Each structure stands twice: as C-alpha cells, then as structure tokens.
C-alpha cells in the first residue's frame, strides 16, 4: 500500500506532513502560511493566514489533463464546395459542440483558472472512436443530425471534424489559491473571510470516481459547498451557499462517507442529513443534544463510525452509535445515541479513515497524539500515544542520493532522540549506542561509497552532508555529556558546552564560507558568515540566554498571530492555541533553571533544533535560503492536525511506533544503490554482504574439491526416506463424486534416493480400500484452490497426466495450518527433486492465478520445447494480479488493487517460512480486493419483492451461482491472511447494469439480468461488496505509488548491465507511462514519464528494438513511433484500426512479431511487419478462445486459453471465415466469463521468418484459473553477445541500423 | 535465526572421501585387504559411519573379536567424539584426497582416546553438547522446553543424514530473542597438540555492535593473533567446516549457520606452513 500522509500546521503557519512510511515530519513547500488544513488522500484544502481557501494537490507523474473539444461544421454548395460560411439558417453553428446545440468557438474556450495551462495548440482528431476519418479529419453525412462516415459520397452534403486541445493542471505540489468568489461578496475577499474548510467524502458509495466534497465556513457563520470537485477538476467550480437554518457555524468536519457535522458559535453541534450520492449537499440540519447544559463544543471531527469532539475546558467527547454507512436508511444513525466523556485533555481532534484518531494535547502543543486500539469493534480506542517524531528538513530532497542518505541519517537521528527522551524519563544514563555508532556508520558508508577521504574538497554534496553529520554527531555527544552532568556540574558544563559549541560553529562557518564562495554570490556569503559569527557569540551566555531569545522570537510571532486572529474574530480555539503556546514557552523559560528535568528537555530540544537546523541549513544552502536565522529557535508548536488523508489499519502499522532498524548490527553493508530513492531499498541485505559471498564461494570450492571427484564412492550413511503422514479428505473424481476420508503418505528423502519418493493416498471406495500412488517426480504443480463444495481449505496436486486431463488430485485439510504444512512439504520436496531451488532465473516464465498466487516455470537452458503438461510450476510468495518479466531479468508485478511491485530477487515468502525462503529480499506485501455476495429476491403479488422465495429457489443470500449460501455475517475472508476492511456496501454498478438501488432484474433465477424492471421480471438480485486486505510476504518491493493496469518490459536482453531497459505501463485511468532509469541492477527505475495520448489505453507491450504497441479503449491499436535512445518515449502514435471492428484488448510484441487478443477472445496476428513498415499491413485471424497472449524474445507464442481451442487443427488465414461465419462462431463458442478457465498453452512450429504463426497448439498445460502469463524473458541461456541468432530479428536490426541515418522515411510520416 | 538455506544445505551435504586401510601389523589373512573407500558426512561422527568399515575388515583380522575399532591418521589417534569435519580440518586439511586413515582393532590407546561402547554413547555425547550449547545460547530454555521426541528427531536427523528432519527442530535452537543474538557463543577453538579452548564470549559488544570472527580469534587466541602484522602474514588459518570465513564475518551469523549439528562452532587454527 502506498504511503499516506498525516498533515499538521504549526504556529508559524508552516505545514508539515508525516508519511506512514516515514519517521519524521517533512515540511510542505510553498510560500503560503496556513492556519488550518483538511486533508484527503489525494489532496489537502487549507485556510491561509489571509483567510482565503487554498488547495494542495500531490504531484504525480500522471498529470491532471482535460480534453477540450469543438466541432467544425461545413455544408457543401455548388459554388464554393464545402464551406463554413454557407450553412443554412436551420443548421448548426460553424463551430459547435458535438450535438450542435451550442456555439463553441475555438477562441472562446478559456482556462478555468491560472492554475491550468494549455498543453498544445488545437489540432484535428483523425480517428473517432477507432474509426479512421478522411483526410483532414473530415467525416461526411447527408445532413447534420445523421450518421457520419469517413468517405465522401455523391450525396454528402455536410461534413464536420473534431478539434481537440488539452489543458493541464500545473499547480501541483503547491498551495494554489482557490478562485471563486462567494456569491454576493465580490471584490474584497476580506469582507467575509473563510475560517474553516473540510474536505472528504471520497468513500461515499459509488459516486463518480474521484469526487471530493468540500465544505467551508465563513466568519459570518455561513456554510458553502464547493461544486464539481473531482479528480479531473481539483479546484471545483464555485461556492454554493448551504442554508445554515439560522445557526451560525464556526467549524465543520466531513467524514469519508460524507458524514457532515458542524459546530455553531454558541457551542452547539449539528449534523447534516440527507446527503446521498445524488445529492451531496444534503437536505437539512439536525441539532445534536449536548451531554449537559454547560457543555459547549469547540470543535468536532468525524469519520465513518467515529465522531469525536472537544468542548470548552479541553474535554474530549466520543459520540456513540454513529454509522454513516447506514445513513441512507436510518437518519438516526447519522446522529448517534450518546456522548461519552473520554480521559485526557486535548485541544484538537482529527478523525481519519478507518476512524483512526489523532489529537493535539491541550498542555503540550508540541505533541501529536494517536489513539491506540481503535478497531471497528472498539471505536473509542484504548489510550493516547504520543508520536515522538522530529521535524525534518523538507528541503533536503534535492537529489535522490542525498535523500536516501538523509533518510538513514534521520532515522538514526530519530532513534537517538527517542533514546534521549527515554533517558530523561528514567533519569538513568546507560550507554546509548545508536548515538555513537549510528551516525558513524552512516558517514562510514558514505565514505566507502562516495568520498574516500573525509573532509576533502569542498563542493560535493556528499561531503557537505558528511560535514554536517559529523558536526551534529559531535553536538549530540556533547549534549549527552551535558545532560549527564548538568545537575551537579553546571559550571563545567557551561564551559564544556561553550567549547563544543564553538568548535561546532567554526566547523559550520567553514563549510559555509567555502560553500558560499563556490556557489552563492559573495555578498550572501558574507552575510551568512556574519550570521555564523553572531551565533558563535551567543553560546557565551548559554544556557540562560537561549530560552529568552527564543521566547522573544516566539512571542512576537504568536502575538502577530493572535492579532490576526482577534482581528478576524476567530473562535476561541485558535486564540487558545496561540496563548497556550506562548504560555508553554514562558513556562519553559522561567522554570528552566529550577526544574532539572525540564531543563534537560530544553537543552535537548535546543540541541535538536541545532542539529536539525544545521542539517536543514546545509541542505538548503544551495537555494540561498537564510540558514541560521532559526538556529536556536525551538520548533513552533502545533496548532492544527488533519488525519483525513492518513490511512492506518490494524494490520499494517506505520513506521512511527517501531524503532528504526538498527544500522549498527554489522550484518553486512547497507546496500545503497547509486540511484536509491526510497529508504526501504537501503535495507540491509545479508545475502549481498561480501563476506557471505566469499563464504559461499569457498563452500562451492569445498564441494568441488572434496566431493565431486569422488562421486562414485560409496556413501557411508545410506539415505533412507522418511514418511509424512496425515488424514485428509480426497475428492473422488469418479462416482460417487464426493469427499471421502483418506490417509496420505508423503515419502521424502534427499540425495540419490530422492527419485524413488512416492506420494500415496489411501481411501475407501464403497467399503473397499483403494489407493492412488505416483512418484513425486511426476508432480508438476501443487497449489491451493477454491472448492465451492467444501468449507475446508483445499489443495490440488497436478501430475503431467492429470494436467492434460485437467483433473488434479484434490485434497481437503481440516485447518489452514495443516494445508500450508502439506503444501510446503510437497512443494519443497518437488522443488528439490526437480532441482528448482533458490531464486528463479532471469529467464523464467511467470504466471498468476485468479487467487493471486504466483507461479514460475524454468525453461530448459537451450529452450528445448517441453510438452506443456510436463512443465513444473513452483510457487513464489506474494499476491499479484499480473507479473511481467523481460530483458535483463527485470520483473514487475501489479496487485489486484493496482499497486506496482518490483521483484526483489529472493524466493519464498508467504507460506514458505524459515529456511524455505531466501534470507534477504522478502518483504511484507499487501493487496486489496473486493468480495462479492448477492442478495436475491422474488416477487409475489402480496408483498411485491421480498426475501421469501420458492423452496426451489436459490438462497436469499448467495454467491454468484446461487448454489452456495453467503450471508453478510457468515461470509469469511478467503484465508486467514485476509482481513476485512470496512463493511458490506451495495455495488451500484455491477456488470450488466442496475437500477438506482442496485437491483438487477430477471424473469427467473438462472437467467441473464438487466438493470431495469420489465413486466415479466419476477426475481431480482443485487450485489454487495466488501473490501478485503491481505497481508503476506514475498520477494516483492513496492514500486513508487502509481496505480497500474498493465505493464510491459522489453523483450531484448540488454547488451550491458548499464543499458537502459524499456519499461512501459498503463495507469489505472488509461494513461501511458514510460519508466526511466531502469537498468538490470536497478529494476525499480527512477521516475515515470507521462506519454500523452488522446484516449485511455488498455494494454501495452514492448517488442524487439523498443517497438511499443498499445491497445486503446476503443479497441484500436497504436504503434509508437520515433523511439530512440535519446528519446525513449518516442514522438508520435500511429493509429492501427482494429480487425473487422472487433475491439482489441491486449497486445503482445515479440522480437519481430505482433499478436493481439480481442474482446471476444480471438487471437490475431499482425501480418507483413518489416523494418521499413514496422506497423504491418493487416490483422490475420488465427484462433478463438484465447484470453491472453504472451510473445517471447524468440517470437514464441504462449497463450492462456479460455476453453481448449480446436484440437491441433490449424485454421489458415481466416479472412473468409471472418465475413461469413463470424456471428456463428461467436454464438457457438459462447462467452465464457473471465477467470472461469485459463489454461496455459503454447504454439508449436513457430519458425522465424518462414512460419511466424506456427502450426499447432499445445494446450495441454496447467490450468484452471490462470489469469496471467509472461514468457517475455524466456530466451536461450547466455545468448551469444552481439550476434543475433534470430534471422528475422537480425534482418530487422541490420536494416534498422543502416537506415537510422536517413530514418526520416518512416519516422516522420504517420501511415494510416 | 538461521534462515540461509543455501549455506545450510551446502554445509549439510559436505562429504569427505576417505580411504580406510587396515593397519599392516594387524592383517591376519594371506594378502593385505584392499582399502575401503567411503564418502563420509563431515557433520557426522566416526562411530556412526564405521559400520561398513568394521564389517569389511573384520574378516581380515584374527583375534579382534570384541576389540574396539579405532582410527589413526599419521600416527595420530582420532577422537571419535569430534565431528569428522573437525578432525579433518585440524590434522589433514592440507593432505591429498582421499583422506587416508588407518584402521586398528588392537592396542587401543587408552591414554589418548575414550572408549566408545556404541551409538548410544555418541547420542548421549551429542545431546549433552547440544544442551551445553543451548545453555550458553538461551540459558538452556529452548532445549529444556522441547519434548523427548524432538530430541530424538534431532539425533535421528543427524544419524540418518536427513536435513529437513534435523533442521525442523534445530531451527528452534537457532532462534534468538529480542536482543537479536545469543547470550553467549557456543564455540570451541582447536589447535593441533593443544587442548581446545572454550570460553564465554558474547556475540555483540556492550554497545550492541556485532562482533566479528576476527574479534573472536584475537581475543581467544591472542598468542596466535596478537598483532595485526601476524594476522596478515597468513601463518595461521582459521578453518571452520573446511572453509576459511573472512575475518569480518559476524560471529552470530557464523554460529547460526556454521555450527556443527551439536550446535557448537568448531574453529580450527591450522598452521599453514
């Protein structure tokens, strides 16, 4: 799951975020100072110090872009030909919208706000819905409201063409002023300033994707709703006033399910009722009775089922009985039942997704608290837990290297600060190792990696960082010293501290001087030198001088703030904030001397701010920022926190509460790739430690020396086998077709006896003992399967014969643990027997099943063709929807939730525990999918539709087939690795359509359903869904947060390990992305590059020579032209129409050939692709019933068959079949619902270049639920470098190289 | 926790080719018997693998009924209670393979060797070693928490050379608590002609840093590795399980992976000159 952010605002107006994957607050860039923030996962809305509304949108590699279009219409007349001047008065305008109802001139189309910019000028769309148009994009018709065609005919009197232009939202990663005046208040925004904003509502069931509700409150107590805020229009359109029914509002809060609560000036709380997906504004307000007369609420925050409030006197309240998901049926569930006073004094509460709660302590505004133990069953949680997290320098993200360095550094830093606090708390001083060793290690590794001599030449970033690190570690050590001695030897302490301070400062100023001399204009350099000198003077009167200093600065700032607040008549909350923060500083300053603990804390804070200040300073000095102004200023207190965008569930806790991984354990070098940008990649990996490699090498040498020459010696200990026994249930394939008890014997052994190991299953068949036995070596796959008929977990064992017949041995275990036990035992024994151990090779075939399991097949080294049913598939840990591999051993996967994962090079994980997994490279993996159940009803004349069906009917709550009862309460997650997230909700958009309440109708149950009620519809059903989340482990690492639909890696092997590898992907919304910086040793790459398209895409493939093909949503294909080394994203798309109007859904490009699958599972081959004509000429039909195709580097064709295709008969080029039998074939084959089959097959007889389409199918492969397959890395072992063994590819390559010089021939002219 | 299957497997599969010769003065038959060649697991003990040898040679010797068999290498009687790999590394690591041993049935060297009444003796010796190691590692809590059948499985795994069977149990002995390391490191350091050294040694420093193999040998055998210079001269080799792990290998990892089945890290100091 990608990291999400907790937002907070400090009293200086700076905004910070804390990532669930991070361990420190990062400052949000921007020049705007804010007072409040309301965050959602996608964006954050804030109130600025100028009381305007601001919007912050996270930048993403996929830009927010909108298409603007207009149609140019023309009519023919005999004099002028086609012209826009001679339209009839009854015709549409010369420029209009698609329907022709509105005048739409190109110039009248303006940008909605200054945060948008045009991507390009207007251009003509040359293919409309997959159909090519005439030259110039014209489409012809007899008259305007008619069918348009691409051909100009004798009776074509009118024509039109479509112009399109894209605009792009560019104000991402910044606070953008939200334009839009309040109706009635025009010129001066300060006349009625905004005081609060609330964003949320993203989880309201089944609303338009990406819609966000935004509400705001003005100083006059009026409430406004922002219209039309959604992912493509983040700013919305305008403010619409919502009647507040005479109650003036001060604060407002919106939950993820559009639960809306507001606080009024007189401390009342009210709830908005009637909010639905069709009416996001709601209908009316309902006042919530306070717990007592004297309770006046100041602030409220709502989630889905959790509502929290703060009343005067910092009392915290929890509202019982709220359930926003049931709001539509039961209004009282929006209001809840009773207030419960909670322990603790909080100034502010924020409720996030999953009803997790954050708060600000009323007394110590430096602390953000998190409510521990909030679960769906215990919404009020257990205790408050402080987040002891430092503020970090956001500006240090200037390069990926430094950021990773600073990550490590900050982790150790944070750890040590935690230790510090701990130390103060217990008032004892054990040796603190991380302080001493942490930074050292960090700087050591730095030195090892990058700069051999410490403190050498000034000017490199690394050294600068290193300097600051050294100084901070010095100051830390000193600080530790100080706090130790402070009580007894204050004098000594002072001098010592002074000394250290001096050395520290001089150190810094050195850096600065050199630095500025090199990079910053001289004047600035002098300035900062001055500053450094100033700071150097200050330590003289420490520690008494310092708090005063800071006190002064802080007081002024908070005074400023309270002025602003008073001027704008803000509620008491913010005022309280400001004063309390001053007070706390006051208290700190005055009590400092007397209270030793406080003093320690203070010193600690100071030295922390010193170190962080210096770090920030050194990092930002490039930008010429003032680095030492706040050197001795303690961090400003928090005034606001928003957890609305911070997703925390009970299964994956953020990093905040776990100690940073110790980098001092010496278990090898921390492996930091040169391009590491994520902390997680820096994880210590033992198996890459040099000593381990040496040890392993020696062990292999030992074997070569001591064992191999003497293989023919007799073994001193004869290996005997041992038997694992168990009682399971066996599915009898023949009559009586039911589960029977059986005893299982798995004979295991190692070494030579291995091949005699047998698998035996004894069972009873009509009172007679029978048994089933086969050698372990015959097993080709063992996996967990769904079996509807048995509540117990079921595993399936495939042998070659049974694979061909598609009848595995199915065994049911009584517990999950038992199943895992057997599965791993059989699987490991088979792997050992087949010699498949360790990590899969870089040329393996990867596949996934509908359960999300991942399987790998190792092809023979010389690519000899193995019959499909004899391929041995072994499982890898993890849960993925698809896995794609390619050249250089690069493997990426995509989860069911669209998250991208990169193969991290290990093996095992998941159920393979302990020594069955690789020692490194196994990480936590999560995935989310929906579980569906159906509610069925039958109509009867008395009550209409009700849950009373006929006795013969299906269960009233069932699975899709109706054979299995699935109640809301009784439906369990697929395995114990899965957990429910959220509750059951109605799916309003099931496949096939539904009415407004989600019902689908049919005449009788086993029938096809439609989304409206017909006169003879007697039954109906609706689909309920619930999110489930899996937490497992596997050799996968999360790739940067970009949700993907498809992914493709080039088939070519890179010539060297530093050659860039082409990796393309399709985002969930159809954007085409190209990954930059992917190399063999760094498969995760660096960044995404967005490739603009005119329509959403569905599938992508990268063939030999970086030939990129995609399929579009309209079913046509596109070929990317102009891809070169310098321009890896190419220049333009060539449109390739779909074959015979059959929409293509998937494409796969091998070394030279291109294959595609259409929506109805027909397989097509692109004919006559040559080097000069890389897009080919036409599609040839090859075979029906193909769900997926994967073409490898030797143009080998593998498929997932939906149903076994014709048995070995080769249908010749089937154009004739096409025209005549098209419909018939389709009717005959029927439409098999996806996921119900899925069998691995491959094409025999492919010979390049003579028979690129091969001869026959071998579809005897493993199957039943396979959903993805990738053979794109599957090439001969050690291909001779530089020589292309593949004739066709060689020709293409050769010609290509020759033509590169004058490549303008086919690079410039799109052929359509 | 020991989780590096690749290394564990490789170590477990370690075999030594051994050529057994009957001592010339004990031959009672007409001709000298052919030597007996065997592949012997490094991790095992001689009494566990000697059945075949004994059966083979018995018929060539006269009055050896009831006499205990013992082995000798270049005049050095071999202690049966050391793992075979240790004996080889200690005495014969530079020898030509196969390792040539002399089989005796007479003149048992009472002063140098212990008697081995049978495999039970080996088992009790093995189990006491495991217990001793666990006392050092976990104050004996793991081994004492195990059932009798677990102990049996451990022994049977070794005796019958079954990796999975053995490691299914041994894994638990290799787990470490929250400290990320063992309490003390079970090791024995051998030098030819000297009694073996065994000491308390913590796998991490007081500051929590992992200690390395170099630290260990410098502390335990300072007379050999007293200075950096001598260390570098390569006069002494540190051999464990037939390989020379780099000095920067953490001892904790070594203990988890390079220990013999008796859970001890047997370190041999071999003079390479």
């Amino acid at each position: 799951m990608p990291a999400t952010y907790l937002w907070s605002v400090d009293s200086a107006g700076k905004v910070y975020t804390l990532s669930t994957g991070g361990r420190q607050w990062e400052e949000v860039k921007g020049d705007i100072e804010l007072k409040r923030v309301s965050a959602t996962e996608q964006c954050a809305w804030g109130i600025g110090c100028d009381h305007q509304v601001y919007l912050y949108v996270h930048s993403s590699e996929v830009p927010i872009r909108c298409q603007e279009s207009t149609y140019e219409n023309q009519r023919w007349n005999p004099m002028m030909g086609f012209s826009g001047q001679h339209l009839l008065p009854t015709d549409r305008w010369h420029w209009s919208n698609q329907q022709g109802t509105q005048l739409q001139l190109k110039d009248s189309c303006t940008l909605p706000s200054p945060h948008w910019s045009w991507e390009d000028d207007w251009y003509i769309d040359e293919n409309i819905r997959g159909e090519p148009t005439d030259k110039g994009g014209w489409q012809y018709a007899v008259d305007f409201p008619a069918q348009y065609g691409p051909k100009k005919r004798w009776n074509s009197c009118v024509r039109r063409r479509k112009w399109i232009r894209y605009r792009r939202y560019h104000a991402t990663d910044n606070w953008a002023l939200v334009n839009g005046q309040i109706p009635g208040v025009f010129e001066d925004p300060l006349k009625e300033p905004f005081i609060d904003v609330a964003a949320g509502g993203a989880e309201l069931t089944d609303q338009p994707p990406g819609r966000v509700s935004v509400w705001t409150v003005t100083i006059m107590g009026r409430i406004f709703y922002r219209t039309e805020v959604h992912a493509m229009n983040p700013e919305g359109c305008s403010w619409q006033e919502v009647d507040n029914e005479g109650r003036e509002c001060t604060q407002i809060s919106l939950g993820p399910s559009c639960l809306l609560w507001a606080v009024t000036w007189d401390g009342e709380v009210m709830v908005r009722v009637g909010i639905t997906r069709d009416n996001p504004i709601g209908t009316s307000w309902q006042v919530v009775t306070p717990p007592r007369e004297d309770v006046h609420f100041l602030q409220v925050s709502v989630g889905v089922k959790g509502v929290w409030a703060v009343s005067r006197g910092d009392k915290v309240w929890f509202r019982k009985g709220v359930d926003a998901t049931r709001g539509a049926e039961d209004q009282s569930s929006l209001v809840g039942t009773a207030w419960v006073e909670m322990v603790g004094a909080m100034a502010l509460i924020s409720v996030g997704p999953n009803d997790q709660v954050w708060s600000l302590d009323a007394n110590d505004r430096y602390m953000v608290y998190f409510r521990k133990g909030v679960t769906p069953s215990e919404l009020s949680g257990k205790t408050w837990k402080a987040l002891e997290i430092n503020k970090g320098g956001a500006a240090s993200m200037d390069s990926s290297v430094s950021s990773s360095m600073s990550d490590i550094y900050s982790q150790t830093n944070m750890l040590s600060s935690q230790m510090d606090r701990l130390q103060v708390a217990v008032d004892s001083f054990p040796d603190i190792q991380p302080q001493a060793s942490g930074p050292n290690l960090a700087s050591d590794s730095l030195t090892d990696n990058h700069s051999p001599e410490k403190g050498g030449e000034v000017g490199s970033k690394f050294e600068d960082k290193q300097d600051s690190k050294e100084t901070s570690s010095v100051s830390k050590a000193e600080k530790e010293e100080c706090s130790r001695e402070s009580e007894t030897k204050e004098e000594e302490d002072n001098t010592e501290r002074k000394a250290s301070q001096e050395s520290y400062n001089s150190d810094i100023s050195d850096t600065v001087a050199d630095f500025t001399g090199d990079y910053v204009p001289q004047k600035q350099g002098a300035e900062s030198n001055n500053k450094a000198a100033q700071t150097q003077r200050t330590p003289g009167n420490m520690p008494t001088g310092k708090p005063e200093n800071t006190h002064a600065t802080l007081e002024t700032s908070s005074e400023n703030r309270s002025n602003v607040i008073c001027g704008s008549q803000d509620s008491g909350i913010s005022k309280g904030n400001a004063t309390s923060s001053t007070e706390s500083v006051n208290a700190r300053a005055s009590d400092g001397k007397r209270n030793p603990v406080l003093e320690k804390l203070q010193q600690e804070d100071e030295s922390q701010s010193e170190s962080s200040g210096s770090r920030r300073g050194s990092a930002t000095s490039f930008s010429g920022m003032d680095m030492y102004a706040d050197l001795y200023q303690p961090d400003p207190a928090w005034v606001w926190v928003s957890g609305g965008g911070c997703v925390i569930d009970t299964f994956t806790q953020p990093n905040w509460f776990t100690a940073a991984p110790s980098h001092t354990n010496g278990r090898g070098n921390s492996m930091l790739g040169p391009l590491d940008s994520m902390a997680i990649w820096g994880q210590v990996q033992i198996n890459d430690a040099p000593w381990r490699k040496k040890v392993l090498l020696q062990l292999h040498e030992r074997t070569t020396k001591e064992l191999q020459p003497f293989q023919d010696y007799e073994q001193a200990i004869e290996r005997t086998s041992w038997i694992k026994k168990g009682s399971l249930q066996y599915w009898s394939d023949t009559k009586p077709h039911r589960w029977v008890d059986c005893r299982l014997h798995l004979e295991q052994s190692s070494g030579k006896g291995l091949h005699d190991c047998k698998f035996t299953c004894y069972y009873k068949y009509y009172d007679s003992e029978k048994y089933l036995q086969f050698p372990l070596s015959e097993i080709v796959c063992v996996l967990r399967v769904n079996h509807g008929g048995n509540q117990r977990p079921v595993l399936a064992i495939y042998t070659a014969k049974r694979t061909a017949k598609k009848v595995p041995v199915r065994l049911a275990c009584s517990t999950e643990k038992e199943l895992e036990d057997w599965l791993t035992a059989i699987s490991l024994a088979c792997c050992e027997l087949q010699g498949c151990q360790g990590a899969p090779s870089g040329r393996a075939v990867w596949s996934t099943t509908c359960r999300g399991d991942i399987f790998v097949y190792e092809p023979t080294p010389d690519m000899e063709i193995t019959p499909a049913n004899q391929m041995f598939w072994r499982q890898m840990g993890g849960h993925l929807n698809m896995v794609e591999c390619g050249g250089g051993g690069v493997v990426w996967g995509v989860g069911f939730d669209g998250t991208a994962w990169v193969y991290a090079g290990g093996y095992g994980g998941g159920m393979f525990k302990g020594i069955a997994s690789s020692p490194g490279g196994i990480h936590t993996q999560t995935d989310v999918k929906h579980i569906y159940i159906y509610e069925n009803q039958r109509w009867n004349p008395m009550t209409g539709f009700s849950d009373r069906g006929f006795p013969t009917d299906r269960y009233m709550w069932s699975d899709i087939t109706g054979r299995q009862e699935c109640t809301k309460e009784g439906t369990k997650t697929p395995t114990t690795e899965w957990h429910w997230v959220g509750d059951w909700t109605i799916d309003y958009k099931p496949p096939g359509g539904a009415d407004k309440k989600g019902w689908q109708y049919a005449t009788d149950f086993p029938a096809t359903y439609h989304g409206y009620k017909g006169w003879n519809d007697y039954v109906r059903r609706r689909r309920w869904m619930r999110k489930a989340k899996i937490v497992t482990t596997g050799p996968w690492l999360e790739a940067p947060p970009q949700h993907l639909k498809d992914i493709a890696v080039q088939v070519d092997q890179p010539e060297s390990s530093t050659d860039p590898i082409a990796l393309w992907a399709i985002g969930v919304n159809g954007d085409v992305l190209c990954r930059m910086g992917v190399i063999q040793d760094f498969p995760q790459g660096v960044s995404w590059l967005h490739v603009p398209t005119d329509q959403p895409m569905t599938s992508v493939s990268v063939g030999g020579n970086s030939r990129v093909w995609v399929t579009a949503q309209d079913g046509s294909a596109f070929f990317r032209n102009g891809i070169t080394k310098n321009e890896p994203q190419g220049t333009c798309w060539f449109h390739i129409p779909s074959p015979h109007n059959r929409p293509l859904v998937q494409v796969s490009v091998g070394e030279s050939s291109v294959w595609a699958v259409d929506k109805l599972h027909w397989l097509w081959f692109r004919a006559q692709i040559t080097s000069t004509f890389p897009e080919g000429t036409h599609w040839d039909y090859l075979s029906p019933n193909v769900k997926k195709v994967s073409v490898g580097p030797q143009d080998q064709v593998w498929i997932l068959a939906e149903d076994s295709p014709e048995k070995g008969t080769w249908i010749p080029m089937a154009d004739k079949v096409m025209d005549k039998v098209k419909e018939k074939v389709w009717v005959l084959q029927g439409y098999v619902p996806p996921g119900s089959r899925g069998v691995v097959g491959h094409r025999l007889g492919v010979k390049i270049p003579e028979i690129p389409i091969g001869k026959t199918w071998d579809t005897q492969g493993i199957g039943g639920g396979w959903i993805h397959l990738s053979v794109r890395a599957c090439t001969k072992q050690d291909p001779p470098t530089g020589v292309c063994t593949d004739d066709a590819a060689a020709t293409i390559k050769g010609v290509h190289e020759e033509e590169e010089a004058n490549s303008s021939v086919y690079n410039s002219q799109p052929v359509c | 926790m020991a989780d590096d299957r690749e290394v564990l497997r490789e170590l477990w599969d370690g075999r030594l080719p051994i050529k057994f010769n009957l001592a010339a003065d004990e031959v009672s038959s007409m001709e000298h018997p052919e030597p007996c060649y065997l592949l012997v697991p490094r991790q095992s003990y001689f009494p566990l693998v000697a059945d075949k040898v004994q059966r083979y040679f018995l018929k060539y010797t006269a009055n050896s009924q009831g006499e205990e068999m013992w082995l000798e290498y270049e005049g050095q009687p071999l202690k049966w209670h050391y793992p075979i790999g240790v004996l080889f590394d200690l005495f014969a690591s530079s020898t030509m393979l196969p390792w040539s041993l002399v089989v005796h049935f007479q003149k048992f060297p009472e002063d140098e060797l212990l008697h081995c009444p049978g495999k039970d003796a080996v088992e009790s010796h093995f189990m006491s070693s495991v217990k001793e190691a666990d006392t050092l590692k976990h104050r004996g809590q793991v081994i004492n928490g195990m059932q009798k059948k677990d102990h049996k499985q451990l022994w049977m795994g070794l005796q019958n050379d079954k990796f999975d069977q053995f490691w299914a149990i041994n894994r638990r002995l290799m787990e470490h608590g929250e400290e990320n390391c063992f309490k003390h490191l079970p090791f024995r350091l051998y030098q030819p002609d000297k009694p073996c050294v065994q000491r308390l040694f913590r796998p991490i420093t007081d500051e929590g840093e992992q200690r390395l193999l170099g630290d260990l040998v410098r502390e335990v055998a300072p007379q050999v590795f007293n200075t950096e210079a001598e260390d570098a001269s390569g006069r002494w080799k540190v051999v464990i399980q037939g390989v020379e792990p780099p000095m920067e290998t953490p001892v904790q990892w070594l203990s988890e992976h390079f220990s013999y089945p008796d859970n001890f890290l047997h370190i041999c100091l071999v003079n390479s000159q």
Side-chain angles (χ1 to χ4, degrees), chain A residues 1286-1298:
Chain A
D1286 198 327
D1287 289 344
T1291 10
I1292 287 186
K1293 264 189 185 160
V1295 178
H1296 189 80
E1297 273 157 24
E1298 278 167 31

Side-chain angles (χ1 to χ4, degrees), chain A residues 433 665 691-692 695 698-699 702-703 706-707 710 713-720 722 832 915, chain B residues 4-6 9-10 14-15 17 37-39 42 52 98 161-162 207 210 241 243-244 250 253 258:
Chain A
Q433 42 92 2
N665 62 7
W691 50 261
R692 182 185 177 272
V695 165
Q698 288 196 35
L699 278 175
R702 192 188 80 171
T703 313
E706 297 177 358
L707 192 57
F710 309 99
Y713 278 30
E714 198 182 339
Q715 293 281 351
I717 297 180
E718 293 298 338
R719 282 178 167 174
T720 50
W722 58 303
E832 188 160 350
I915 49 174
Chain B
D4 199 334
R5 192 185 170 96
E6 202 175 351
R9 189 80 234 196
E10 195 77 33
R15 296 282 181 277
Y37 295 95
L38 279 181
L39 269 182
R42 270 180 160 270
K52 284 185 181 172
D161 193 24
K162 282 173 191 150
E207 289 79 38
Q210 292 238 356
Q241 297 261 26
V243 304
E244 294 173 61
W253 185 88
F258 266 69

Side-chain angles (χ1 to χ4, degrees), chain A residues 89-106:
Chain A
T90 52
D91 280 345
R92 50 188 65 183
W93 283 278
H94 180 201
W95 293 90
S96 75
N97 61 359
Q98 193 185 351
Q99 291 78 32
T101 50
Q102 273 173 354
L103 175 65
Q104 244 179 23
L105 290 175
K106 276 201 292 183

Side-chain angles (χ1 to χ4, degrees), chain A residues 431-434 436-437 441 662 664-668 686-687 690-707 709-723 748-751 828-829 832 837-838 907 913-920, chain B residues 1-19 37-42 44 48-49 52 88-89 93 97-98 153 158-165 167 171 176 180 206-210 212 241-246 248-250 252-253 256 258:
Chain A
D431 286 334
I432 305 162
Q433 42 92 2
S437 49
L441 189 102
S662 168
T664 57
N665 62 7
R667 286 187 141 211
I686 299 172
N687 55 342
W691 50 261
R692 182 185 177 272
K693 285 187 181 149
K694 274 187 207 162
V695 165
L696 210 59
L697 192 75
Q698 288 196 35
L699 278 175
H700 291 311
E701 277 170 9
R702 192 188 80 171
T703 313
T704 334
K705 184 178 143 216
E706 297 177 358
L707 192 57
F710 309 99
Q711 284 292 355
D712 49 339
Y713 278 30
E714 198 182 339
Q715 293 281 351
I717 297 180
E718 293 298 338
R719 282 178 167 174
T720 50
S721 59
W722 58 303
I723 293 174
Q748 275 174 288
S749 171
S750 44
L828 288 176
E832 188 160 350
Q837 277 173 331
Y907 58 92
K913 299 189 173 85
I915 49 174
S917 287
S918 56
Chain B
M1 209 184 83
D3 50 6
D4 199 334
R5 192 185 170 96
E6 202 175 351
V7 170
L8 295 177
R9 189 80 234 196
E10 195 77 33
L11 284 174
W12 186 269
D13 288 338
R15 296 282 181 277
L16 282 171
I18 300 182
K19 175 171 138 193
Y37 295 95
L38 279 181
L39 269 182
V40 178
R42 270 180 160 270
S44 194
L48 300 184
V49 298
K52 284 185 181 172
F88 178 78
D89 293 343
S93 55
L97 289 173
Q153 186 173 340
L158 173 71
Q159 196 183 355
N160 298 329
D161 193 24
K162 282 173 191 150
F163 176 80
D164 293 303
Q165 197 181 0
W167 271 99
R171 261 183 65 194
H176 39 69
N180 261 333
D206 292 341
E207 289 79 38
E209 273 192 80
Q210 292 238 356
L212 312 177
Q241 297 261 26
V243 304
E244 294 173 61
E248 59 270 20
T249 316
Q252 175 69 27
W253 185 88
E256 287 169 19
F258 266 69

